[in-house]
């Protein structure tokens, strides 16, 4: 592995600044379901640069910057225009506008290629590796220009969002509502577009035109799976974006060496790492993750089986002694109709908690278990009464729903049920309500 | 068309240059540029003719390959557009890049030169499919919406692809320059065998589209109904997406993956302006795609420093702009004209009604002998009826006089016979409608006038007959029901109140 | 086009049903010939039950109204029956066989909002879609099918508009085109989701006319309806729905204040309206 140097430190800093700057407007884009707007605008930066040059014949950074931002806004306008004139859906009008402008950018660039130092590759890869060498002096310090530009864009975004936080929030949530509240949703839309354009143009040199969209969308989308609150979502997405930038560079330097290569594009690996983080969160997120959903479903299922075991044992105890049935685990499994894994798990966890005990190969309720079983059966039969009485279900149809409802009934709900059903002594099948 | 290509490709098998050399003589005489020089060097007429008539073998290969591509794109793009999945094509074309890179690496490791087109396209196809799969997974297992799913797949796959390309450049064999052509497209580097591949794939895709025309129509139009009829919407969607991935993959080489989506969307979006009929739309879209490919490839062969892919896209964009402007029904011009015409018709009808009502009141005051026909309405009265300016009014009157609806005299205007008939029709519709609104839609009589104004002009004959039937018990039917509310000009006149 | 008469199984086309009838005698409490039987159907959106334990046999050759308050699950009943929304439990039999195998016998007229009206098809194309199921994969629409579609359009009185793009039709005309699509399918059992919602009087008349013709031809038609005033005029059989089937039966027997009260709950205004209506009808 190559030695870590000041160069690498600056690459990571520039990458993080760029990623963080992108994550802020990106959050709003994702929430407003306009992520692809970032894609569209980032594609047209090229045309903006070429047009700015052809119009002014100047190539100082300020002109280029303004030109590109203006074209970014024009893109947003054109997309709306094509959408309304052509009556096409927003996706199609984006596709039409940004590809046309991108094509125009490429042609103009070929025409002006001898004058402008834009490398077509740079459009895609960005020049983050070289950012350290392009330094300017600012407040007595030599800093990479890219760091200042991206940092500036980040601060611009942060200020705008802090000042207009609630406006952005309401217009992202419900544009129609925000207009009735006196916040012009259109104005907010174009403010967001301005932010996106500024950020994109700033990030353009650093991560390249297409990877901007990775930084704009992937971290906020990941954050959306982690939290339900806008402010947290923004913090998360900034954090995740920085993480992606750091890991991106580290892996760009290290991973290829494992296969005998010398290192690869940092920008590409940043996008890849953002993707990896997304996959990890998609799998593991506490509430919205795939695994946690599966896990919760399993836990719930286990709880239901456990309660069913208790209920079944209680019912068996209710029977007159002459009907004494053997209560081996295998038999329970058969009656409840669940798989061996679930029932074994349920029985062992019940035994561990002291609800049931094994006596000579048979399962018996402990006192504690009997109380729990009684609660459950009471819920079940109260529900049956309720369903029959208030929803007019036939008595032979009340068992199934009650079976499901009993598992979500706590003591308070039980009391309420008892009240609504006038404290019945027996359920619709004539069984005693304990 | 197929025959033509056959004969061309079976012609002399000249070695093929890897750049746009032979069709592009302008390049060799490129002068030294000054910084302000952005002029285009126009080709001579002879060069122009050579290229347009496809006399050069290389040009022929490139132009025909790209034209076939345009045809396939236009066909399948129509369905993609109507399915509202345009940007999916964008995401999946970007997702093909790692496939191309991996295919290259594998082929290079296996000892080839790594640049067989078929292998690269196979890799692209597989990863395009993976991209679509990833989009579906994100859409169905998370709470993220379509747009975010597209953005994630597009950018992450592309990032991986770029990293891999970077590695390929370091390979001893690797000249990844050859792979860069898939990003921006370089039709000029097309070999005859590539053109063949594109041609066959394009024909297969277009034919599949035709065979599945009815299924795809149903899917795009009303998927709920399709499902209730037992069609598997998922299967149909998969078929559509496989066709789209296929056409995207063959578009990579000529227009590049960034612009591949343009070839799919723009021709079909343009075609939408020319017809209201799906089959025709597919044909028009295919033609636009084909002509765009042909013209684009030709222009780029003729004019120096014109990259093929972007030029093709720009030609298609031009077609789109023309279509937006000039489409026969949906076009901006047609719509504006239609709106103007309707506006004028409405204004004239308003004028006729105003004249009629003025005359009607005058008739009531005079109360004998006079009929509406020969009473003149003074201009002053007319101005008061509506918010017309004098200028607008006189312009309207002039236009009505040209149409022989009114005659204007010194004291005002009067209806001609023809004008009277027309005015009676308009007023009658108006009053019927007003009455209908009052009795059936619970609108206060004072609000009726406005609503009726807007709708009387679009009432068809059958509707009027119907209204008459409904209202037969409520309004004195013929010949002219009285206005159900006050006529605003004559404050003293109280005879118009609801029957 | 004439609406082909007779029960399925009686006509030569639908031989599978004919065979089916013979070996269905499973002692089920549901009559085998019922055009539609729904067993224990429960549907939930996000764990909130919308339909609960619907158990229903629909008699053959009737014009059936499904009525109930907003949110009673009327549309859901149709959609779940047609597998357009997932069922939590339950089975649907169409002429004694699972719905999946009998799709060609079922016609469906969805609510109008569900369609992209700007789509480049004309009325005739839309109606021809009703035949797609019969035509099958990859086979083209032939002249025969287009003729059938045209005849279906003629029945609903829209033949003059065959070549119009669908967005250029009025709301009522669009509804009639959808009705024609269902007719072109030549099904035995029809589901219609609020066909009378915001249509003009002429269309309403035309639709009712078509419904009667369908009934006379022995088809079974289920219509989601919300206008209590016209219920007894249009239908001869009613299903009262409010999360579950409150009751069902011939209009004369079940259209009573008690049933309305049970279905519509404590909504007084509605209730009074209905009571008045009932009193008027009793006279």
């Amino acid at each position: 592995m190559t030695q870590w140097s000041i160069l690498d430190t600056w690459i990571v800093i520039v990458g993080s600044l760029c990623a963080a700057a992108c994550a802020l407007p990106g959050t709003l884009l994702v929430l407003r379901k306009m992520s692809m707007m970032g894609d569209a605008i980032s594609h047209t930066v090229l045309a903006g640069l070429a047009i700015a040059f052809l119009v002014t014949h100047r190539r100082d950074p300020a002109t280029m910057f303004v030109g590109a931002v203006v074209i970014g806004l024009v893109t947003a306008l054109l997309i709306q225009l094509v959408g309304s004139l052509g009556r096409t859906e927003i996706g199609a009008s984006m596709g039409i506008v940004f590809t046309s402008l991108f094509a125009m950018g490429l042609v103009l660039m070929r025409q002006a290629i001898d004058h402008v130092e834009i490398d077509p590759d740079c459009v895609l890869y960005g020049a983050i590796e070289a950012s350290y060498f392009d330094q300017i002096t600012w407040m007595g310090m030599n800093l990479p220009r890219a760091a200042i530009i991206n940092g500036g864009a980040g601060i611009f975004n942060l200020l705008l969002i802090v000042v207009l936080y609630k406006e952005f929030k309401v217009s992202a949530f419900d544009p129609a509502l925000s207009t009735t509240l006196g916040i012009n949703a259109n104005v907010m839309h174009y403010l967001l577009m301005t932010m996106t354009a500024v950020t994109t143009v700033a990030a353009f040199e650093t991560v390249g035109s297409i990877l901007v969209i990775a930084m704009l969308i992937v971290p906020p989308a990941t954050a959306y799976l982690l939290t339900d609150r806008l402010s947290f979502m923004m913090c998360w997405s900034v954090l995740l974006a920085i993480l992606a930038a750091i890991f991106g560079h580290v892996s760009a330097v290290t991973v290829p060496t494992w296969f005998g290569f010398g290192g690869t594009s940092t920008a590409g690996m940043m996008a890849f790492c953002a993707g990896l983080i997304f996959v990890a969160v998609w799998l593991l997120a506490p509430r919205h993750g795939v695994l946690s959903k599966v896990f919760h479903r399993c836990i719930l299922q286990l709880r239901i089986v456990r309660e069913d075991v208790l209920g079944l044992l209680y019912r068996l105890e209710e029977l007159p002694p002459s009907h004494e049935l053997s209560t081996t685990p295998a038999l329970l499994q058969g009656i409840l109709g669940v798989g061996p894994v679930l029932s074994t798990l349920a029985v062992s966890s019940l035994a561990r908690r002291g609800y049931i005990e094994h006596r000579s190969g048979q399962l018996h309720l402990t006192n504690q278990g009997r109380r729990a079983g009684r609660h459950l059966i009471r819920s079940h039969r109260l529900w049956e009464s309720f369903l029959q009485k208030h929803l007019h279900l036939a008595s032979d149809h009340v068992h199934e729903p009650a079976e499901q409802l009993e598992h979500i009934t706590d003591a308070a709900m039980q009391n309420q049920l008892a009240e609504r059903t006038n404290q019945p002594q027996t359920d619709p099948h004539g069984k005693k309500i304990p | 068309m197929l025959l033509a290509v056959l004969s061309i490709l079976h012609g002399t098998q000249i070695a093929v240059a890897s750049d746009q050399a032979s069709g592009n003589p302008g390049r060799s005489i490129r002068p030294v540029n000054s910084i302000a020089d952005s002029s285009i060097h126009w080709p001579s007429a002879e060069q122009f003719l050579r290229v347009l008539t496809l006399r050069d073998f290389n040009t022929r290969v490139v132009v025909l390959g790209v034209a076939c591509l345009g045809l396939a794109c236009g066909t399948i793009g129509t369905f993609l557009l109507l399915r509202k999945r345009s940007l999916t094509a964008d995401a999946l074309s970007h997702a093909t890049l790692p496939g191309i890179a991996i295919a290259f690496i594998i082929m290079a490791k296996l000892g080839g030169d790594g640049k067989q087109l078929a292998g690269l396209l196979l890799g692209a196809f597989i990863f395009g499919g993976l991209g679509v799969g990833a989009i579906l997974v994100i859409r169905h297992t998370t709470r993220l919406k379509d747009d975010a799913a597209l953005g994630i797949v597009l950018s992450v796959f592309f990032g991986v692809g770029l990293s891999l390309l970077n590695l390929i450049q370091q390979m001893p064999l690797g000249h990844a320059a050859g792979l860069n052509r898939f990003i921006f497209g370089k039709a000029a580097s097309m070999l005859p065998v590539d053109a063949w591949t594109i041609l066959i794939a394009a024909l297969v895709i277009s034919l599949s589209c035709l065979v599945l025309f009815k299924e795809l129509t149903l899917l795009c139009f009303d998927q709920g109904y399709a499902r209730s009829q037992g069609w598997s919407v998922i299967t149909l969607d998969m078929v559509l997406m496989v066709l789209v991935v296929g056409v995207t993959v063959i578009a990579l080489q000529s227009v590049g993956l960034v612009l591949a989506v343009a070839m799919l969307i723009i021709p079909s979006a343009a075609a939408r302006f020319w017809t209201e009929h799906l089959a025709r739309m597919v044909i028009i879209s295919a033609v636009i795609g084909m002509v765009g490919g042909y013209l684009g490839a030709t222009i780029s062969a003729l004019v120096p420093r014109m990259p093929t892919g972007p030029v093709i896209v720009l030609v298609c964009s031009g077609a789109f702009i023309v279509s937006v402007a000039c489409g026969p029904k949906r076009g901006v011009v047609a719509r504006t004209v239609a709106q103007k015409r309707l506006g004028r018709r409405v204004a004239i009808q308003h004028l006729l009604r105003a004249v009629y009502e003025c005359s009607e009141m005058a008739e009531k005051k005079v109360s004998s002998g006079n009929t509406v026909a020969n009473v003149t309405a003074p201009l002053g009265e007319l101005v008061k009826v509506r918010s017309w300016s004098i200028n607008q009014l006189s312009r309207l009157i002039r236009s009505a006089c040209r149409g022989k609806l009114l005659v204007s005299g010194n004291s005002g205007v009067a209806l001609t016979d023809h004008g009277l008939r027309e005015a009676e029709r308009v007023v009658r519709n108006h009053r019927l409608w007003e009455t209908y609104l009052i009795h059936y839609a619970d609108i206060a009589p004072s609000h009726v006038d406005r609503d009726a104004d807007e709708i009387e002009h679009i009432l068809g004959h059958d509707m009027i007959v119907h209204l008459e039937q409904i209202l037969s018990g409520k309004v004195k039917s013929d010949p002219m029901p009285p206005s159900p509310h006050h006529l605003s000009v004559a404050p003293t006149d109280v005879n118009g109140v609801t029957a | 086009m004439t609406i082909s008469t007779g029960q399925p199984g009686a006509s030569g086309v639908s031989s599978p049903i004919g065979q089916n009838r013979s070996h269905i005698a499973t002692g089920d409490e549901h009559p085998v010939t019922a055009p539609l039987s729904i067993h224990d159907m429960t549907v939930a959106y996000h764990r909130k039950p919308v339909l609960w334990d619907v158990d229903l046999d629909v008699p053959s050759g009737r014009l059936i109204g499904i009525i109930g308050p907003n949110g009673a699950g009327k549309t859901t009943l149709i959609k779940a029956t047609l597998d357009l929304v997932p069922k939590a439990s339950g089975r649907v039999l169409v002429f004694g066989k699972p719905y999946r195998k009998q799709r060609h016998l079922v016609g469906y007229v969805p609510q109008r909002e569900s369609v992209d009206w700007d789509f480049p098809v004309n009325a005739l194309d839309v109606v021809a879609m009703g035949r797609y199921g019969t035509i099958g994969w990859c086979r083209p629409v032939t002249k025969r099918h287009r003729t059938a579609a045209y005849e279906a359009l003629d029945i609903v009185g829209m033949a003059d508009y065959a070549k119009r793009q669908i967005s250029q039709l009025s709301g009522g005309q669009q509804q009639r085109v959808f009705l024609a699509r269902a007719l072109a399918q030549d099904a035995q059992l029809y589901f219609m989701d609020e066909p009378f919602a915001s249509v003009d009087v002429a269309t309403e008349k035309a639709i009712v006319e078509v419904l009667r013709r369908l009934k006379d031809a022995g088809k079974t038609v289920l219509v989601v309806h919300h206008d209590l005033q016209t219920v007894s005029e249009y239908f001869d059989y009613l299903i009262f729905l409010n999360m579950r089937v409150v009751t069902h039966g011939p209009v004369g027997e079940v259209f009573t204040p008690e049933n309305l009260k049970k279905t519509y709950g404590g909504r007084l205004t509605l209730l009074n309206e209905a009571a008045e209506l009932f009193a008027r009808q009793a006279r």
Side-chain angles (χ1 to χ4, degrees), chain B residues 440-459:
Chain B
Y440 286 86
D442 282 342
I443 295 176
S446 57
H447 288 169
V448 167
D449 202 7
R450 287 223 94 99
D451 291 337
D453 272 2
E454 281 155 23
I455 275 158
E456 63 180 346
H457 311 290
I458 51 172
L459 275 183

Side-chain angles (χ1 to χ4, degrees), chain A residues 36-52 64-79 93-106 108-109 123 193 196-197 200-201 204 208-210 212, chain B residues 258-259:
Chain A
M36 292 307 273
M37 212 64 182
D39 179 45
I41 289 182
S42 73
H43 275 89
T44 55
V45 170
L46 189 67
L49 295 181
I51 291 172
M64 292 299 203
F65 195 91
V66 171
V69 170
V70 167
I71 290 294
L73 285 175
V74 168
T75 310
L77 269 172
L78 277 181
I79 287 172
S93 52
M94 273 187 211
I96 293 165
V97 171
F98 89 77
T99 51
S100 301
L101 283 174
F102 187 71
M104 196 162 87
L106 283 176
L108 290 177
M109 221 175 61
V123 175
M193 289 301 117
T196 312
T200 310
V201 177
F204 177 73
S209 127
I210 288 152
V212 169
Chain B
V258 186
L259 292 177

Side-chain angles (χ1 to χ4, degrees), chain C residues 55-131:
Chain C
D55 225 19
L56 190 65
D57 279 312
V58 165
S60 175
R62 297 287 193 118
L63 209 49
I64 301 159
I66 303 176
I67 59 173
N70 284 335
K74 299 183 296 263
T75 298
T76 308
L77 177 69
I78 289 188
K79 287 197 167 164
T81 307
L82 298 179
D83 276 347
L84 297 177
V85 297
K87 294 188 275 283
S89 70
R91 277 184 310 146
V92 172
L93 298 182
V94 173
F95 293 109
K97 264 189 162 186
Y99 165 66
R100 240 167 246 285
K101 293 184 183 159
Q102 304 279 62
R103 278 190 164 122
H104 58 285
L105 293 178
V106 178
Y108 173 44
V109 182
Q111 266 177 347
R112 255 187 304 132
E113 288 78 30
S114 65
V115 164
D116 171 15
W117 290 109
D118 212 24
F119 203 86
V121 285
N122 59 32
L124 189 65
D125 294 334
V126 175
V127 177
M129 284 178 192
R131 314 276 309 176

